Amino acid sequence: KAGVTQTPRYLIKTRGQQVTLSCSPISGHRSVSWYQQTPGQGLQFLFEYFSETQRNKGNFPGRFSGRQFSNSRSEMNVSTLELGDSALYLCASSRDSALPDTQYFGPGTRLTVL
Amino acid sequence: AQSVAQPEDQVNVAEGNPLTVKCTYSVSGNPYLFWYVQYPNRGLQFLLKYITGDNLVKGSYGFEAEFNKSQTSFHLKKPSALVSDSALYFCAVSLLSDSWGKLQFGAGTQVVVTP
């Protein structure tokens, strides 16, 4: 079974631009969560989607948004990029958010903001 | 508020020696605890989890962890470390009240195994 895939793997943007990252979960998984990883703040939860609905949201500004499609694929968008948005963005999927199921992570998208 | 702490930034161990990576948690309800490992330029790989039942949990690659409710700890252990175990290890916790999709991670512990 294919794992979680994320595209693109690397991105370079400039301040003020916007970016869209994509995540395809493991087949059959309906929950997708996003995390930001930086050296200073570590791993921080962004949001979780289940059945096309946002189930939970972390403490990030409104510039960070996401959505989930009917096939469970998810995208996250960051508008008006800031230098501090440079990070590894990780997506994770699990079968059902109503159970304490294991989250499986993708390889991440490395975003660099210049 | 729930939280998880990994008190050691780095753990150094010689190959063949036992490896322990410490994790303590603070939650108001029943904790659901996870260990993940991250190799350079890679995502997180799942090692093991504690949901309920036996306090000793066995996971992938020879790792195990012991849930200790009285000490609010969930330390990761491996009887004999390998050089290939050198990586960044994360402890994480989730709560039903937050939904399972939200994991709170510790700061991570860098494990260095020397030949």
Side-chain angles (χ1 to χ4, degrees):
Chain A
K1 187 181 269 190
V4 178
T5 59
Q6 292 187 245
T7 56
R9 292 292 311 277
Y10 301 91
L11 265 179
I12 299 176
K13 293 285 187 180
T14 57
R15 281 182 299 172
Q17 288 187 310
Q18 74 165 16
V19 66
T20 299
L21 312 181
S22 180
C23 171
S24 293
I26 293 171
S27 177
H29 286 197
R30 299 166 64 193
S31 172
V32 173
S33 297
W34 288 88
Y35 296 84
Q36 181 195 64
Q37 185 178 20
T38 60
Q41 299 297 317
L43 279 157
Q44 294 186 286
F45 172 79
L46 280 158
F47 26 65
E48 179 216 357
Y49 287 87
F50 178 75
S51 292
E52 301 180 66
T53 301
Q54 188 180 86
R55 291 287 294 268
N56 215 329
K57 189 178 190 310
N59 189 25
F60 278 82
R63 299 185 297 107
F64 292 81
S65 62
R67 59 177 175 169
Q68 187 180 35
F69 302 95
S70 59
N71 62 357
S72 295
R73 191 177 70 84
S74 177
E75 289 181 347
M76 69 162 281
N77 184 278
V78 187
S79 62
T80 319
L81 284 166
E82 301 178 358
L83 295 178
D85 297 333
S86 294
L88 180 66
Y89 290 88
L90 293 164
C91 161
S93 75
S94 60
R95 285 176 295 182
D96 188 333
S97 72
L99 300 170
D101 199 11
T102 301
Q103 289 188 37
Y104 295 92
F105 284 78
T109 294
R110 172 76 62 184
L111 172 64
T112 302
V113 182
L114 302 176
Chain B
Q2 64 184 41
S3 65
V4 60
Q6 294 179 243
E8 300 159 317
D9 291 337
Q10 183 165 314
V11 168
N12 299 298
V13 63
E15 187 174 32
N17 283 359
L19 169 63
T20 298
V21 186
K22 295 180 180 177
C23 172
T24 59
Y25 64 89
S26 175
V27 301
S28 56
N30 291 322
Y32 300 97
L33 298 155
F34 302 79
W35 276 102
Y36 286 86
V37 60
Q38 186 176 36
Y39 294 96
N41 300 315
R42 304 278 294 275
L44 275 65
Q45 293 181 28
F46 170 72
L47 286 177
L48 51 79
K49 66 182 177 184
Y50 172 82
I51 302 299
T52 187
D54 289 342
N55 290 340
L56 184 62
V57 180
K58 293 190 181 297
S60 306
Y61 313 118
F63 284 95
E64 60 186 30
E66 185 168 9
F67 173 68
N68 188 316
K69 190 171 184 177
S70 62
Q71 297 186 5
T72 62
S73 67
F74 188 56
H75 300 331
L76 180 70
K77 299 181 180 183
K78 187 172 184 180
S80 179
L82 301 172
V83 172
S84 58
D85 293 328
S86 298
L88 187 57
Y89 290 78
F90 290 97
C91 180
V93 65
S94 72
L95 286 179
L96 174 61
S97 59
D98 273 341
S99 89
W100 307 124
K102 178 182 178 181
L103 287 175
Q104 177 105 16
F105 285 90
T109 298
Q110 184 70 48
V111 169
V112 178
V113 183
T114 52

